[in-house]
């Protein structure tokens, strides 16, 4: 459905479209400025197809200088801009504006420099995530953050969303793997954040920019840290007849002082869908499975594998499978990595949530989700980055049935509110975008939201970068009527949620 | 366990109303660091205590005045630690001070910096509002990452009341090995070591000897040591503790001491004086009488940044001068948090 931007978040301008397009064609070749409806239509949404908006105009720059000129023009005329990478984002962060420029970064797709001695790569924002690791594999290195969309998503988008992946428990998120960003600001200037070393001078703007959803600037050069490929990798699959036992096993592994490279959980609904989709031999009767990947020096990995196997048995695993060669491991991972499309095959539509909770709350949260699911009449399948408490409930619905999308949105919102109450957050890695902007009113107080707006204004006083995303206006929150429900960690054991 | 947040909020409200700047003082263990802040001292170490610690969640939430060594010993009882190995120049050092200064120890290139471990914080800004950002979750992208912005801001954006930190398990075993390496070869040697998937948790060169700390099972350590060569170094803990807490002889000097952050494989800089290399070459401690401008320029030329860490002229430029655009955005950020300029004025830069 066409998304209606909140009136308080709309940036008004009086630029004439035809004249503005003429100005753009002075900066870019005519074929890099898209203006016809059939050219604009493919950009009407990102990875969240529930909301659409045909952009005013699309530009496809190829150089930093062109981006600077575009921003100077937009700044001068007060025209808002939405930057977009591959458009795989799941929260509508790259949803266009009816009166704004959609700035696609996919043509800036070159690896600018590989510095093996310093283990870094300098990239243009349109470089796809997976190509970084492919380019440096010959040097025994890889780029650690690996979101499931890594074959398509771009590093620029990863920076904007602070993307994670199945290995971030051990190797960190995008923010932990960045060294330097060159940024085009809202008025078209260039800023260099971070440095060639492991930190930069002054305030840590590199951390601030990471995950800022394209609202503070546009990253045009990104230097990332590369990591040596571990000597050995083992992957364990453990089968549980009870999902809470699986949750306890996760806590048990962490308590034993082991940090797996990845620790993932799938519930029965997801196991069935994944098995149906990829046929890798997942146990379809299991209440839950855990995938636990261990990597490092061969002898250490073997010792840890032994220890984890013991723990899994202690915590009630009914079966444990070990994959030591990479072919078997890929097969074992395939179902997890394809979980979303697998759900897509069993349901006409699904709505993916991204709440994060303290691991110990898993049992309570899953129980509550299942109650909410019964109440709403929509099924929910759960995929869980168990190691870091990031839960992806997938709400199954059919957009063609009148009212089901609204029901799915309401159920999603109720799940997020519960995550906040349980001491968690509304988004672990997918970003707020437009999708969770109302839920921000729940998680933050007015004073906190005002602080966010002041930070935004420090970078973009006119508010032309990605307006209406990530941070709600106080007007929106007042209208929405949400009450801010800060969790109090001191009393999180109380059964009041 | 004392919660002084309301009292602090009142003090800050008055400071804002009277436009009376305050100089935040925690354990006073890093008072030598940075420029001298203008304003009356406001002592904040009384707000102390561990609010919540759940070892299996790998998260601890602490008040700013909690002594760093106390927190570390509570974590150690559970076989856990702060992964960034914070320096502790005096026993009085607090967690709030460690966050505000943003300094990390020898583990930094291998397991991350202070900011990498900050999950959330509660602070008082220059509107005297108490604000919470982030939380206790490992992953959280709701709103701008203002808790990480506080790291290294030297108290100039507000008073940190509480911080939630990710903690990590201690390694099963660690030991240190040492070999003599010529100074013109050490960069290449370290770079080669760091390109291999070895279980290294510290890599330090004292000007003549290269020390590397290995972790894991006894077998894994033995195997790596065998690959890398060198002799086991007996005073293992002492070595890293003396380096991080600046207790070794190198740091007992009245010559200006510079902290230089560069790409690790950067060749020896053309600056006179004595230099040791930590972080596999990415952090260099240099004792030199070279003029500050010379140091800043030389380091800027290789894309790094320098800080006059100890001694030298404190009322002048201490931190790497910023290009005008970057300085402007930092000033605007300062304003965004502290419009009446009450927090730690001039501690980082004379401009704010």
């Amino acid at each position: 459905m066409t998304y209606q931007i909140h009136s308080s978040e709309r940036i008004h301008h009086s630029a004439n479209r035809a004249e503005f397009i003429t100005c753009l064609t002075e900066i870019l070749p005519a074929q890099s400025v898209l203006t016809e409806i059939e050219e604009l239509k493919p950009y009407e949404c990102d990875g969240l197809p529930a909301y659409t908006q045909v952009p005013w105009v699309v530009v496809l720059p190829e150089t930093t200088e062109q981006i600077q000129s575009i921003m100077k023009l937009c700044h001068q005329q007060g025209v808002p801009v939405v930057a977009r990478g591959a458009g795989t984002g799941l929260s509508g962060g790259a949803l266009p504006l009816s009166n704004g420029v959609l700035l696609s970064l996919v043509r800036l797709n070159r690896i600018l420099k590989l510095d093996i001695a310093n283990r870094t790569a300098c990239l243009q924002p349109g470089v796809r995530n997976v190509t970084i690791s492919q380019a440096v594999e010959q040097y025994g290195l890889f780029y650690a953050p690996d979101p499931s969309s890594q074959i398509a998503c771009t590093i620029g988008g990863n920076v904007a969303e602070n993307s994670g992946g199945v290995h971030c428990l051990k190797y960190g998120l995008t923010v932990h793997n960045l060294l330097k960003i060159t940024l085009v600001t809202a008025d078209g200037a260039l800023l260099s954040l971070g440095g060639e070393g492991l930190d930069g001078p002054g305030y840590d703007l590199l951390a601030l920019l990471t995950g800022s959803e394209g609202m503070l600037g546009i990253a045009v050069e990104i230097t990332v840290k590369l990591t040596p490929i571990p000597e050995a990798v083992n992957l364990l699959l453990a089968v549980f007849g009870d999902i809470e036992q699986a949750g306890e096993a996760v806590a048990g592994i962490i308590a034993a002082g082991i940090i797996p490279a990845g620790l993932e959980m799938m519930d029965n609904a997801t196991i069935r869908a994944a098995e149906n989709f990829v046929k890798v031999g997942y146990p379809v009767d299991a209440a839950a499975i855990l995938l636990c990947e261990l990597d490092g020096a061969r002898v250490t990995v073997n010792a840890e594998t032994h220890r984890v196997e013991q723990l899994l048995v202690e915590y009630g695993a009914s079966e444990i499978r070990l994959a030591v060669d990479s072919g078997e491991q890929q097969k074992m991972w395939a179902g997890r990595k394809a979980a979303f499309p697998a759900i897509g095959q069993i349901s006409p539509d699904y709505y993916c949530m991204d709440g994060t909770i303290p691991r110990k709350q898993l049992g309570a949260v899953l129980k509550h989700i299942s109650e909410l699911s019964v109440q709403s009449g929509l099924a929910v399948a759960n995929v869980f980055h168990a190691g870091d408490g990031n839960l992806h409930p997938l709400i199954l619905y059919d957009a063609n049935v009148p009212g089901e999308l609204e029901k799915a949105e309401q159920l999603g919102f109720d799940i997020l509110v519960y995550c906040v109450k349980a001491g968690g957050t509304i988004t672990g890695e997918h970003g707020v975008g437009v999708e969770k902007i109302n839920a921000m009113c729940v998680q933050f107080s007015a004073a906190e939201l005002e602080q966010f707006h002041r930070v935004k204004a420090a970078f973009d006083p006119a508010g032309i970068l990605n307006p209406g995303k990530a941070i709600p206006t106080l007007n929106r929150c007042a209208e929405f009527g949400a009450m801010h429900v800060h969790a109090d960690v001191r009393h999180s054991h109380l059964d009041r949620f | 366990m004392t919660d002084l947040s309301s009292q602090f909020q009142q003090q800050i409200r008055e400071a804002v109303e009277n436009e009376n700047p305050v100089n935040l003082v925690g354990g006073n263990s890093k008072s030598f660091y940075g420029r001298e802040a203008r304003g009356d001292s406001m002592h904040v170490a009384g707000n102390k205590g561990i609010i919540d610690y759940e070892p299996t969640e790998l998260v601890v939430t602490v008040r700013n005045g909690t002594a760093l060594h106390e927190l570390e010993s509570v974590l150690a009882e559970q076989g856990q630690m702060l992964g960034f190995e914070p320096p502790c120049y005096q026993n009085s050092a607090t967690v709030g001070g460690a966050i505000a200064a943003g300094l990390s120890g020898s583990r930094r290139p291998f397991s991350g910096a202070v900011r990498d471990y900050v999950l959330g914080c509660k602070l008082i800004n220059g509107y005297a509002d108490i604000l919470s950002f982030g939380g206790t979750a490992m992953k959280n992208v709701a709103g701008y990452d203002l808790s990480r912005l506080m790291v290294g801001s030297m108290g100039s954006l507000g008073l940190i009341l509480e911080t939630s930190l990710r903690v990590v398990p201690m390694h099963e075993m660690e030991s240190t090995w040492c070999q003599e390496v010529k100074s013109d070869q050490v960069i290449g040697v370290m770079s080669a070591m760091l390109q291999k998937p070895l279980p290294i948790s510290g890599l330090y060169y004292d000007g003549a000897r290269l020390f590397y700390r290995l972790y894991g099972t006894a077998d894994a350590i033995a195997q790596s040591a065998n690959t890398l060569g060198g002799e086991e170094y007996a005073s293992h803990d002492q070595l890293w503790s003396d380096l991080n807490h600046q207790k070794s002889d190198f740091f007992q000097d009245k010559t200006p001491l510079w902290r230089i952050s560069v790409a690790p494989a950067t060749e020896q800089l053309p600056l006179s004086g004595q230099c040791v290399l930590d972080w596999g070459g990415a952090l260099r401690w240099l004792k030199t009488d070279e003029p500050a401008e010379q140091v800043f320029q030389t380091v800027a030329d290789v894309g790094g940044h320098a800080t006059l860490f100890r001694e030298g002229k404190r009322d002048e430029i201490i931190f790497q001068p910023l290009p005008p655009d970057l300085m402007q955005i930092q000033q605007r950020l300062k304003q965004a948090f502290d419009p009446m300029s009450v927090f730690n004025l001039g501690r980082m830069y004379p401009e704010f």
Side-chain angles (χ1 to χ4, degrees):
Chain A
M1 67 180 175
T2 302
Y3 180 77
Q4 291 299 324
I5 191 165
H6 192 268
S7 60
S8 67
E9 287 160 0
R10 189 178 169 88
I11 299 294
H12 296 275
H13 65 82
S14 52
N16 173 284
R17 185 166 182 264
E19 287 168 17
F20 189 78
I21 289 168
T22 307
C23 295
L24 285 172
T25 52
E26 283 163 14
I27 300 168
L28 297 166
Q31 69 271 22
S32 300
V33 183
L34 311 183
T35 57
E36 301 301 320
I37 182 71
E38 62 275 16
E39 299 174 309
L40 299 175
K41 193 85 173 145
Y43 294 90
E44 68 178 1
C45 67
D46 58 10
L48 179 72
Y51 303 120
T52 58
Q53 174 60 61
V54 175
W56 201 48
V57 52
V58 174
V59 290
L60 297 155
E62 290 177 31
T63 67
T64 295
E65 293 71 26
Q66 288 172 346
I67 296 173
Q68 286 186 267
S69 303
I70 295 164
M71 288 313 301
K72 280 176 190 160
L73 173 69
C74 291
H75 183 251
Q76 192 195 347
Q77 307 223 6
V79 173
V81 179
V82 176
R84 173 185 160 119
T88 56
L90 294 169
S91 57
L95 183 75
L97 297 161
S98 62
N99 69 341
V101 171
L102 186 86
L103 191 151
S104 167
L105 294 154
V106 290
R107 289 193 179 167
L108 286 95
N109 60 359
R110 282 182 303 133
I111 294 177
L112 298 172
K113 187 180 169 194
L114 295 179
D115 182 346
I116 302 308
N118 284 307
R119 301 169 311 286
T120 65
C122 180
L123 314 156
Q124 287 191 316
V127 171
R128 286 179 303 123
N129 174 296
V130 75
T131 56
I132 311 168
S133 290
Q134 286 167 350
V136 297
E137 191 185 0
Q138 57 184 310
Y139 306 105
L141 301 170
F142 75 114
Y143 174 62
D146 58 345
S148 296
S149 57
Q150 70 181 140
I151 55 164
C153 66
T154 62
I155 188 68
N158 292 174
V159 171
E161 302 293 324
N162 191 17
S163 306
V166 294
H167 290 109
C168 60
L169 176 60
K170 180 166 180 178
Y171 293 102
L173 306 159
T174 303
V175 70
H176 303 114
N177 289 277
L178 289 181
L179 295 168
K180 191 178 169 186
I181 289 177
T182 304
L183 192 76
V184 173
T185 59
D187 57 0
L190 272 188
L191 277 185
S192 179
L193 314 179
E196 298 294 330
L198 295 177
D199 47 32
Y203 295 136
D204 193 345
L205 301 188
L206 187 63
L208 176 61
L209 257 291
T210 312
S212 63
E213 304 198 20
M215 297 189 44
L216 305 181
I218 299 168
V220 291
E221 274 182 29
I222 298 151
T223 303
V224 301
K225 182 180 102 175
L226 303 171
T227 305
I229 296 170
E231 186 188 10
V233 180
N234 280 355
L235 179 61
L236 289 160
L237 183 153
V239 181
F240 286 86
D242 179 303
I243 199 158
E244 284 191 44
Q245 274 185 333
E248 283 161 18
V250 169
I253 292 169
I254 302 288
I258 296 165
I259 303 286
L263 190 52
E264 298 286 313
M265 191 193 289
M266 293 157 75
D267 74 355
N268 179 267
T270 315
I271 297 168
R272 281 173 184 275
E275 178 56 23
N276 178 49
F277 191 60
V278 293
K279 309 228 168 11
V280 287
Y282 280 174
V284 291
D285 294 331
I289 57 172
L290 273 185
L291 286 165
C292 177
E293 186 173 289
L294 300 157
D295 72 6
R298 166 70 60 199
V299 281
T300 307
V301 169
N302 287 344
E304 283 183 348
T305 303
H306 183 62
R307 182 82 190 99
V308 170
E309 281 175 324
Q310 283 177 331
L311 285 164
L312 291 168
V313 170
E314 278 173 37
Y315 283 94
S318 57
E319 185 194 340
I320 298 169
R321 303 177 192 172
L322 169 66
V324 287
D325 76 67
S326 75
E328 274 181 85
Q329 291 173 2
Q330 274 177 18
K331 212 172 128 191
M332 226 182 243
W333 270 124
R336 166 61 189 88
K337 293 220 171 186
F340 292 10
I343 295 288
Q345 214 185 38
I346 59 163
S347 171
D349 297 285
Y350 68 88
Y351 187 39
C352 173
M353 307 311 296
D354 177 40
T356 298
I357 51 168
R359 276 183 298 262
K360 64 177 173 189
Q361 297 282 359
L362 179 65
V365 172
L366 287 177
K367 192 162 160 262
H368 191 73
I369 290 177
S370 116
E371 286 164 10
L372 289 171
S373 160
V374 171
Q375 281 167 25
S376 76
L378 296 178
V380 176
N382 288 291
V383 183
F384 190 42
H385 297 302
D388 40 36
N390 189 192
L391 188 64
H392 292 316
L394 300 161
I395 301 168
L396 280 47
Y397 73 100
D398 184 348
N400 288 325
V401 175
E404 277 217 347
L405 170 63
E406 291 72 22
K407 243 203 251 180
E409 284 179 323
Q410 186 59 46
L411 174 56
F413 181 79
D414 293 342
I415 291 173
L416 292 185
V417 170
Y418 193 76
C419 288
V420 174
K421 283 182 177 174
T425 171
I426 58 169
T427 174
E429 58 181 4
H430 294 170
V432 174
V434 292
E435 182 210 12
K436 290 176 279 270
I437 194 159
N438 287 338
M440 286 289 285
C441 308
V442 178
Q443 187 162 336
F444 293 98
S445 69
E448 288 156 356
L449 293 172
E450 279 183 299
Q451 187 61 64
F452 285 141
H453 287 301
R454 286 192 291 265
V455 168
K456 159 83 169 166
F459 283 83
D460 177 18
I464 60 169
L465 285 170
N466 216 6
K469 311 287 171 63
I471 315 289
T473 56
L474 297 183
N475 278 344
R476 172 194 279 274
C477 290
E479 237 167 77
F480 178 66
M483 207 181 66
H484 146 254
V485 286
H486 254 319
D488 188 339
V489 290
R490 276 157 282 196
H491 305 296
S492 54
H493 60 284
L494 295 179
D495 188 18
R496 56 184 172 170
F497 307 129
Chain B
M1 289 287 281
T2 321
D3 181 0
L4 300 178
S5 30
S6 320
Q7 181 189 317
F8 289 163
Q9 188 179 24
Q10 186 53 34
Q11 271 174 278
I12 289 168
R13 192 173 287 134
E14 284 164 20
V16 172
E17 279 163 12
N18 303 327
E19 296 181 38
N20 193 15
V22 294
N23 176 18
L24 303 174
V25 180
N28 210 29
S29 67
K30 289 182 276 288
S31 56
F32 64 88
Y33 180 53
R35 304 174 77 255
E36 200 119 24
R38 298 195 288 277
D40 301 334
S41 292
M42 174 172 164
H43 294 272
V44 297
N47 188 50
K48 59 173 77 174
I50 295 174
I51 296 168
D52 197 33
Y53 172 39
E54 298 221 24
T56 64
E57 296 287 326
L58 298 176
V59 179
V60 65
T61 300
V62 282
R63 292 205 180 89
N64 64 289
T66 312
L68 206 47
H69 72 90
E70 279 176 27
L71 172 61
E72 288 184 311
S73 63
V74 169
L75 298 178
E77 281 169 25
Q78 301 295 326
Q80 296 185 338
M81 62 179 182
L82 297 171
F84 51 94
E85 205 172 12
C88 186
Y89 303 123
Q90 287 176 36
N91 251 351
S92 60
T94 62
V95 176
I99 304 299
L103 298 168
S104 310
S106 300
R107 289 186 201 281
R108 195 277 170 243
F110 311 98
S111 53
V114 189
R115 56 94 112 162
D116 295 328
Y117 287 89
V118 170
L119 300 175
C121 79
K122 189 189 256 194
L123 62 109
I124 305 180
N125 66 1
Y127 293 79
D129 289 328
I130 294 183
L131 311 173
S132 285
F133 298 109
T136 56
M138 292 290 146
K139 289 154 94 177
N140 185 353
V141 289
Y144 303 129
D145 196 342
L146 301 188
S147 30
R148 285 200 172 92
L149 181 64
M150 300 303 286
V151 179
S153 65
M154 301 293 288
S156 64
L157 297 177
L159 167 59
I160 300 167
L161 292 172
E162 291 170 15
T163 310
S164 293
L165 293 165
R166 186 164 80 92
V167 298
V168 291
M170 287 173 160
H171 296 300
E172 185 173 326
M173 222 176 114
E174 279 190 312
S175 63
T176 297
W177 303 71
C178 160
Q179 56 182 285
E180 287 191 12
V181 179
K182 292 204 174 95
S183 62
D184 57 352
Q185 289 170 2
V186 72
I187 297 294
V189 171
M190 289 193 297
S191 179
M193 285 168 80
L194 293 172
Q195 281 169 52
K196 296 193 190 105
L198 294 166
I200 300 176
S201 62
L203 187 56
Y204 158 61
Y205 182 64
D206 74 356
R209 293 171 300 173
L210 181 64
F211 296 89
Y212 49 92
R213 183 168 56 186
L214 299 170
Y215 68 88
T217 58
D219 289 350
I221 291 177
Q223 227 172 52
S224 302
N226 208 20
T227 313
L228 294 169
E231 299 292 319
E232 185 164 4
Y233 187 76
S235 313
H236 156 79
D237 285 333
Q238 193 72 41
L239 176 86
W240 300 103
S241 153
D242 283 355
L243 172 64
N244 285 320
H245 310 324
Q246 301 195 339
K247 302 287 185 221
S248 60
D249 290 345
F250 175 86
F251 295 101
Q252 317 309 314
D253 202 324
K254 289 289 166 202
T255 314
L257 174 71
W258 289 82
R259 178 190 186 275
I260 294 173
S261 172
V262 288
T266 307
E267 286 303 331
Q268 200 173 344
L269 297 168
L271 292 165
S272 62
Q274 212 189 337
C275 188
V276 299
L277 314 180
D278 196 2
W279 297 6
L283 179 67
R284 303 181 183 190
W285 295 105
L286 173 71
K287 289 190 295 190
T288 183
D289 287 313
E290 298 263 17
E293 302 74 41
Q294 182 69 29
V295 179
F296 287 132
Q297 190 55 54
T298 306
V299 176
D301 288 346
V302 294
H305 71 102
T307 306
L308 177 53
F309 200 77
R310 284 183 195 265
E311 310 302 334
K313 294 176 184 157
R314 283 194 74 187
D315 48 354
E316 293 186 5
I317 307 290
I318 295 280
F319 294 97
Q320 183 79 32
L322 301 174
D325 280 357
L326 196 54
M327 175 52 87
Q328 194 189 27
I329 196 82
Q330 306 237 351
Q331 278 178 286
R332 286 202 217 139
L333 261 183
K334 162 79 173 171
Q335 272 239 312
F337 280 85
D338 182 21
M340 302 309 288
S341 293
V342 295
F343 292 115
N344 285 15
L345 275 195
R347 182 85 188 246
M348 287 178 89
Y349 291 96
E351 290 87 344
F352 58 85

